[in-house]
Amino acid sequence: MATANPTVFLVMVNGQVESAQFPEFDDLYCKYCFVYGQDWAPTSGLEEGISQITSKSADVQHNLVWNFPIDITFKSTNPFGWPQIVISVYGPDVFGNDVVRGYGAVHVPFTPGRHKRTIPMFVPESTSKLQKLTSWFMGRRPEYTDPKLIAQGEGREVTRVRSQGFVTLLLNVVTKDMKKLGYDTSTLDMQTSSVIDMSEGILK
Amino acid sequence: MAEVHVIGQIVGATGFSEDSLFCKWGIHTGGAWKLLSGVREGQTQVDTPQLGSMAYWSHPIDLHFATKGLQGWPRLHLQVWSQDSFGRCQLSGYGFSHVPSSPGIHSLHCVTWRPLGGWREQLARAFVGGGPQLLHSDVVYTGADRYRLHTAAGGTVHLELAVILRNFSRYGVEC
């Protein structure tokens, strides 16, 4: 039902966590969750999910494929606090313990259409060599207490991380009533499908 | 009042000779602009890349401005620093970029530069580290007094910013 004067706009996101590239690790699973500001609320769909465990394929490319579906709709009054999707990847270490292999976050794309995003995954690093050795032994690596911290900018100044992999997401975005509320997200009047690839750093 | 949302990420940096890098960023606007929500400045984490040579920060930026005029369009200024294993920080580059003025998703590649000293400072920087830094960092985003500087190129900082404008067409502004 179209209202004459809408007060909220909707953003619908669907897609998948497609695959990952982690040259040094295998048998990985991922979790996703959404982090958003106070003016946003999910109206339908799942905010979190855990994927299956995947192993590297035997061919040359060594792909880690999840093909894990994402489907969620948000409503909001304000673009501030635009939702971000936070991906955490876990896998077994030498002793069989489940350790974190990477965290990454990206904003849900802002313009309607089809988007491909390859995001870097990083892991917090201990500063002292002794702590690195004990954490390797005990299987308790440094991790974030709440993965939603990845989506925030504040409080990151003193953390040291190591980036060690990439995850590829394919997302489709549909928005409703943003134009009616006066928001311009794109200069094009015609909505053409856009595929943006952010994988500049991988093959250097 | 017209509103501008700047939402995106400082993705990372390439082309710097040092490995463990972090970035201090800030946004400077003119007098007609008012920041409604978001933090105006920040500092990213320190990243040591294992794959390839690009340092990845994925630092989120989410700003909401209200404005009465076009002058003083927001400028994003950056300082890239490297940290060694002892915890000492050394300047690797200064850079700035205007926030794009058209709505949509933009991939920005911000070039950086660092001040060169005399031959003594350059030699000291190669062996011991350190090196000259700017006293007043507003030189990074203004043109005044730049003629005094002799600089060398640093690497490139990559950003993905989306700009959402509101009510600009109501005031007759074409973006």
Side-chain angles (χ1 to χ4, degrees):
Chain A
M1 277 255 286
T3 51
N5 282 323
T7 51
V8 293
F9 61 88
L10 296 181
V11 176
M12 185 205 75
V13 187
N14 60 36
Q16 51 172 298
V17 180
E18 187 197 56
S19 59
Q21 292 113 52
F22 278 89
E24 299 161 22
F25 307 111
D26 203 355
D27 295 328
L28 303 172
Y29 68 93
C30 79
K31 292 194 203 181
Y32 76 84
C33 68
F34 283 92
V35 177
Y36 42 86
Q38 286 175 331
D39 296 319
W40 290 77
T43 55
S44 76
L46 297 171
E47 260 189 78
E48 303 184 322
I50 304 184
S51 76
Q52 75 274 22
I53 302 177
T54 183
S55 301
K56 282 189 178 149
S57 55
D59 58 18
V60 182
Q61 290 145 321
H62 292 308
N63 279 332
L64 288 155
V65 168
W66 285 308
N67 196 214
F68 187 50
I70 297 173
D71 200 340
I72 192 165
T73 306
F74 290 98
K75 68 170 188 214
S76 173
T77 52
N78 186 358
F80 181 73
W82 194 278
Q84 297 182 54
I85 180 167
V86 175
I87 310 270
S88 326
V89 175
Y90 299 87
D93 68 357
V94 167
F95 303 106
N97 305 310
D98 222 10
V99 295
V100 65
R101 293 302 188 197
Y103 297 102
V106 72
H107 287 278
V108 160
F110 308 92
T111 51
R114 192 170 152 259
H115 304 268
K116 184 174 181 181
R117 291 264 181 274
T118 300
I119 61 178
M121 306 298 282
F122 58 85
V123 124
E125 211 178 32
S126 345
T127 37
S128 76
K129 293 216 166 28
L130 178 67
Q131 201 169 21
K132 283 186 189 158
L133 187 68
T134 50
S135 67
W136 181 83
F137 258 121
M138 307 292 284
R140 284 202 253 135
R141 307 290 172 96
E143 33 184 299
Y144 290 109
T145 50
D146 182 4
K148 303 198 175 188
L149 282 174
I150 315 294
Q152 290 170 4
E154 300 94 56
R156 282 198 178 187
E157 298 97 277
V158 291
T159 57
R160 284 185 225 214
V161 300
R162 205 168 62 221
S163 49
Q164 54 187 22
F166 299 92
V167 168
T168 304
L169 304 166
L170 290 173
L171 298 168
N172 298 311
V173 171
V174 174
T175 62
K176 176 178 186 284
D177 288 339
M178 280 195 86
K179 277 214 164 50
K180 281 200 193 146
L181 286 168
Y183 291 103
D184 281 326
T185 54
S186 151
T187 46
L188 299 170
D189 282 344
M190 213 169 46
Q191 300 301 338
T192 53
S193 62
S194 58
V195 178
I196 303 172
D197 197 339
M198 217 165 75
S199 54
E200 286 154 349
I202 305 180
L203 302 170
K204 291 239 162 69
Chain B
M1 288 243 281
E3 294 169 31
V4 176
H5 289 267
V6 182
I7 312 177
Q9 277 187 352
I10 306 181
V11 178
T14 53
F16 287 93
S17 46
E18 298 92 7
D19 244 355
S20 305
L21 297 170
F22 67 95
C23 174
K24 291 193 200 188
W25 63 273
I27 295 245
H28 177 263
T29 53
W33 294 74
K34 184 167 167 239
L35 182 66
L36 296 178
S37 349
V39 274
R40 193 183 269 273
E41 57 188 16
Q43 185 176 317
T44 69
Q45 59 210 13
V46 181
D47 182 46
T48 315
Q50 301 291 300
L51 306 173
S53 53
M54 180 162 174
Y56 285 101
W57 299 312
S58 301
H59 191 93
I61 293 183
D62 200 337
L63 295 156
H64 183 190
F65 290 103
T67 180
K68 292 182 277 201
L70 289 176
Q71 277 67 39
W73 192 275
R75 278 178 258 210
L76 179 69
H77 57 265
L78 308 158
Q79 297 180 20
V80 181
W81 294 73
S82 68
Q83 187 181 57
D84 64 10
S85 51
F86 300 112
R88 300 178 307 164
C89 298
Q90 176 175 291
L91 177 76
S92 295
Y94 294 110
F96 98 98
S97 170
H98 279 96
V99 165
S101 49
S102 52
I105 305 182
H106 304 271
S107 246
L108 301 176
H109 307 285
C110 180
V111 294
T112 61
W113 49 270
R114 59 178 178 82
L116 283 176
W119 65 268
R120 284 200 190 92
E121 277 108 358
Q122 290 179 41
L123 199 63
R125 188 176 195 271
F127 281 105
V128 176
Q133 302 165 23
L134 290 174
L135 263 184
H136 304 288
S137 53
D138 58 349
V139 175
V140 178
Y141 51 85
T142 59
D145 283 345
R146 284 272 191 111
Y147 64 89
R148 295 170 196 269
L149 284 176
H150 185 199
T151 66
T156 313
V157 177
H158 305 278
L159 302 119
E160 270 248 336
L161 289 180
V163 173
I164 301 179
L165 303 177
R166 190 179 192 204
N167 295 336
F168 269 63
S169 44
R170 206 195 282 176
Y171 294 97
V173 176
E174 292 124 12
C175 285

